[in-house]
Amino acid sequence: MLFNSLNFAIFLPIVFFLYWFVVNKSLKSQNILLLVASYFFYACWDWRFLFLLMFSIALDFFSGIKIAESSNQTTRKFWFWLSISINLGFLGFFKYYNFFVESFTEGVANFGFKINPLTLDILLPVGISFYTFHGLSYVIDIYKERIPAEKNIVDYSVFVSFFPLLVAGPIERATHLLPQIKRERQFDYEKAVDGLRQILWGLFKKIVIADQCAQYANDIFNHSSEYSGSTLVLGAVFFAFQIYGDFSGYSDIALGTARLLGIDLLRNFAFPYFSRDIAEFWRRWHISLSSWFRDYLYIPLGGSKVGMWQKIRNTFVIFLVSGFWHGANWTFIIWGLLHALYIMPSIIFQTNRKNIDIVAKGKFLPSIKEVFQVALTFSLVVFAWIFFRANNVEHALDYISKIFSSSLFTSVKYDGDDFKKVLFLLLFIFMAIEWLGRENQFAIAKLGQSWKPVFRYLFYYMILIAIFWFCGKKEQFIYFQF
């Protein structure tokens, strides 16, 4: 069930009504409803993998209790590594089995050996990377004695499978979400309205920006040999807006939906394309994943409290693992490697926390220096997206070599014609709104609040009309494949 589908438009109001008007007197009943709704939401995609999700939840739930209750270190280690190895085993099998087999086959072929390994037609369970990381952080936190084990299986199950975040995050922490699940929730009108506003903006990002850019980006990448270098640059820029609108739009809908139900999820995006350097970009892009790797991999490796060479090693490890997390393809690993190289100067010269606040905070326009910094950072990010989007490394290298050819200086043409000007107008309006709202949680959180109601509602209706106007062609959410 997609967030931008008619099914979800029917599903959400039903859950909302039952949650606030039928079972609102009992926290236990509310949580049972959330669990049933979440399992139904997941089963709509493929009911067979619901059992895998339930097994993963049961494994981490009982492992957590065993770890917490045991005073014997050997027993604690047994349950800890049992949970970790089974979770990573499932993730490795479904996501990386064929990648490792094919890579091994190609590797030995380089030495003149030919083997015929068994590859499997494996369907990747949607959301497995996300709910696996939920479970891993929970078990690690208990083992490190940061949190107590949860004793209520329903509450823990809701923590892992809460439907707004189940298939593409944000990746939550037990310390943030579990207390909210266990606390009585009262309907908050202002929070619900804010949630609806965030859902509206998320749908605009997904349907009006991401899906429209996807039509061009997909065609240009799929037929890159037929286009000039200048058009390929534009194709990469379209993909940059597609993946931002797609993933941040999904996160906005997830956060808004959760707020309708009285729950706050972790923020996942904070206007990353306004970043002045790569370190700032990674504090603003997919925040829940970046902070997960920081807390459960970078800091245990020593973080920044080690010597320079170890710090450099740790940074490369984080970005390579992050790239590999996204998918079983060398393109993702190179994408992570590029970002490690991008961020390295700020690590070496210790300037990675130079830009903490949003650019031009409290000002209407940025300085010329900030414009240059933002443009340079965006260009580096777009270049790395080419590897992320390409079918394989060879495709990415062909794409880049075509860009750096004489055709880079020819006019931009799409299928022998000009691009539709309306798309550029939409992108300009979108980025203008994002800029105006960049100091808030999401772009339209406060925008229009001081206007007269007639103008504010006119603004919302215009967004709604644009969503319906462009909703004809639906694209799958990109991060569902991860």
Side-chain angles (χ1 to χ4, degrees):
M1 189 187 303
L2 299 174
F3 279 169
N4 56 335
S5 68
L6 178 61
N7 290 341
F8 188 73
I10 296 171
F11 168 80
L12 181 58
I14 292 174
V15 173
F16 180 84
F17 176 78
L18 295 175
Y19 185 79
W20 288 120
F21 298 102
V22 177
V23 297
N24 57 316
K25 303 295 183 185
S26 165
L27 176 63
K28 182 179 178 181
S29 299
Q30 281 185 318
N31 287 345
I32 290 174
L33 173 66
L34 287 183
L35 182 59
V36 172
S38 298
Y39 282 172
F40 176 78
F41 177 84
Y42 193 78
C44 285
W45 175 73
D46 192 327
W47 62 269
R48 294 170 299 177
F49 290 116
L50 181 60
F51 297 105
L52 183 66
L53 171 65
M54 294 168 75
F55 174 80
S56 177
I57 289 172
L59 171 70
D60 296 331
F61 176 74
F62 288 109
S63 297
I65 291 176
K66 291 294 183 182
I67 293 169
E69 289 181 345
S70 178
S71 57
N72 183 297
Q73 191 60 21
T74 303
T75 304
R76 285 168 53 80
K77 279 187 177 179
F78 169 78
W79 285 103
F80 173 74
W81 285 112
L82 179 71
S83 174
I84 297 294
S85 57
I86 292 178
N87 273 306
L88 292 180
F90 279 137
L91 187 62
F93 174 75
F94 283 105
K95 195 166 182 175
Y96 301 110
Y97 173 81
N98 284 340
F99 171 77
F100 283 122
V101 168
E102 290 167 4
S103 296
F104 178 75
T105 304
E106 291 175 8
V108 298
N110 292 330
F111 294 96
F113 299 102
K114 185 177 180 180
I115 59 175
N116 296 304
L118 175 65
T119 56
L120 303 175
D121 185 16
I122 301 173
L123 184 63
L124 182 67
V126 68
I128 189 171
S129 300
F130 293 90
Y131 69 70
T132 297
F133 271 42
H134 276 102
L136 289 177
S137 63
Y138 172 75
V139 171
I140 293 171
D141 283 346
I142 293 175
Y143 183 74
K144 297 288 185 182
E145 299 182 346
R146 296 170 183 149
I147 59 172
E150 175 55 51
K151 301 291 179 62
N152 186 314
I153 183 69
V154 173
D155 292 354
Y156 177 74
S157 301
V158 173
F159 158 66
V160 177
S161 62
F162 185 38
F163 70 89
L165 58 77
L166 178 57
V167 294
I171 301 172
E172 273 289 344
R173 309 293 181 84
T175 50
H176 181 253
L177 184 54
L178 259 175
Q180 295 186 70
I181 293 170
K182 299 185 72 64
R183 189 168 58 227
E184 286 195 9
R185 300 178 285 274
Q186 300 295 324
F187 181 73
D188 184 330
Y189 175 78
E190 293 298 328
K191 180 183 276 191
V193 170
D194 196 51
L196 285 174
R197 203 178 287 121
Q198 192 161 10
I199 291 173
L200 181 69
W201 189 238
L203 287 171
F204 180 87
K205 283 180 175 176
K206 169 60 181 167
I207 295 172
V208 180
I209 299 302
D211 288 358
Q212 304 314 307
C213 286
Q215 296 179 42
Y216 290 113
N218 289 341
D219 194 54
I220 292 171
F221 269 89
N222 292 339
H223 304 91
S224 55
S225 61
E226 301 172 12
Y227 289 107
S228 66
S230 54
T231 305
L232 296 185
V233 171
L234 197 56
V237 172
F238 281 144
F239 179 70
F241 281 107
Q242 179 198 349
I243 194 169
Y244 174 60
D246 187 287
F247 194 23
S248 70
Y250 176 91
S251 295
D252 279 339
I253 299 169
L255 268 70
T257 300
R259 288 174 71 78
L260 275 178
L261 301 172
I263 293 175
D264 292 313
L265 299 181
L266 291 172
R267 192 183 189 187
N268 221 13
F269 287 87
F271 310 100
Y273 287 163
F274 296 143
S275 300
R276 287 151 291 182
D277 57 46
I278 292 297
E280 184 184 7
F281 174 81
W282 279 104
R283 283 192 294 275
R284 298 182 179 280
W285 178 275
H286 205 172
I287 299 167
S288 63
L289 180 68
S290 304
S291 59
W292 197 101
F293 280 125
R294 179 198 63 204
D295 294 344
Y296 296 101
L297 190 57
Y298 184 69
I299 292 177
L301 286 171
S304 57
K305 298 179 179 178
V306 292
M308 181 56 69
W309 287 113
Q310 288 173 298
K311 201 185 300 183
I312 292 172
R313 178 205 63 185
N314 295 346
T315 303
F316 272 104
V317 168
I318 290 297
F319 279 100
L320 290 175
V321 172
S322 175
F324 199 48
W325 177 89
H326 281 84
N329 195 321
W330 287 104
T331 53
F332 295 117
I333 296 174
I334 294 175
W335 171 76
L337 176 64
L338 277 174
H339 276 278
L341 294 171
Y342 289 165
I343 205 172
M344 203 48 62
S346 65
I347 297 294
I348 294 172
F349 296 108
Q350 300 183 359
T351 57
N352 54 315
R353 299 192 65 79
K354 182 180 176 184
N355 297 310
I356 300 297
D357 288 332
I358 190 71
V359 60
K361 186 177 181 181
K363 301 176 183 176
F364 184 67
L365 293 173
S367 65
I368 294 175
K369 179 184 176 184
E370 288 170 333
V371 170
F372 176 77
Q373 290 173 324
V374 170
L376 178 61
T377 304
F378 181 72
S379 301
L380 291 172
V381 170
V382 169
F383 183 79
W385 283 138
I386 293 173
F387 283 93
F388 194 96
R389 173 58 182 82
N391 300 326
N392 49 51
V393 176
E394 184 180 9
H395 180 209
L397 295 176
D398 287 344
Y399 195 102
I400 292 168
S401 65
K402 190 76 181 289
I403 286 178
F404 292 104
S405 67
S406 57
S407 64
L408 177 63
F409 303 101
T410 60
S411 60
V412 174
K413 291 290 183 183
Y414 174 74
D415 202 17
D417 204 349
D418 293 330
F419 285 91
K420 290 180 180 178
K421 293 183 176 57
V422 67
L423 181 58
F424 294 99
L425 178 62
L426 286 171
L427 288 175
F428 176 78
I429 294 172
F430 170 63
M431 291 308 290
I433 294 174
E434 288 273 289
W435 177 262
L436 293 174
R438 69 191 184 286
E439 294 186 30
N440 301 307
Q441 287 292 309
F442 57 97
I444 65 169
K446 303 293 182 185
L447 194 63
Q449 295 299 298
S450 59
W451 301 352
K452 290 183 178 179
V454 62
F455 294 116
R456 186 168 66 249
Y457 284 107
L458 180 62
F459 174 62
Y460 296 149
Y461 277 118
M462 288 175 68
I463 294 175
L464 199 58
I465 290 169
I467 291 170
F468 279 104
W469 185 270
F470 289 100
C471 70
K473 186 173 178 58
K474 291 180 183 174
E475 296 282 342
Q476 178 79 290
F477 283 96
I478 294 174
Y479 267 69
F480 277 18
Q481 64 183 295
F482 306 138

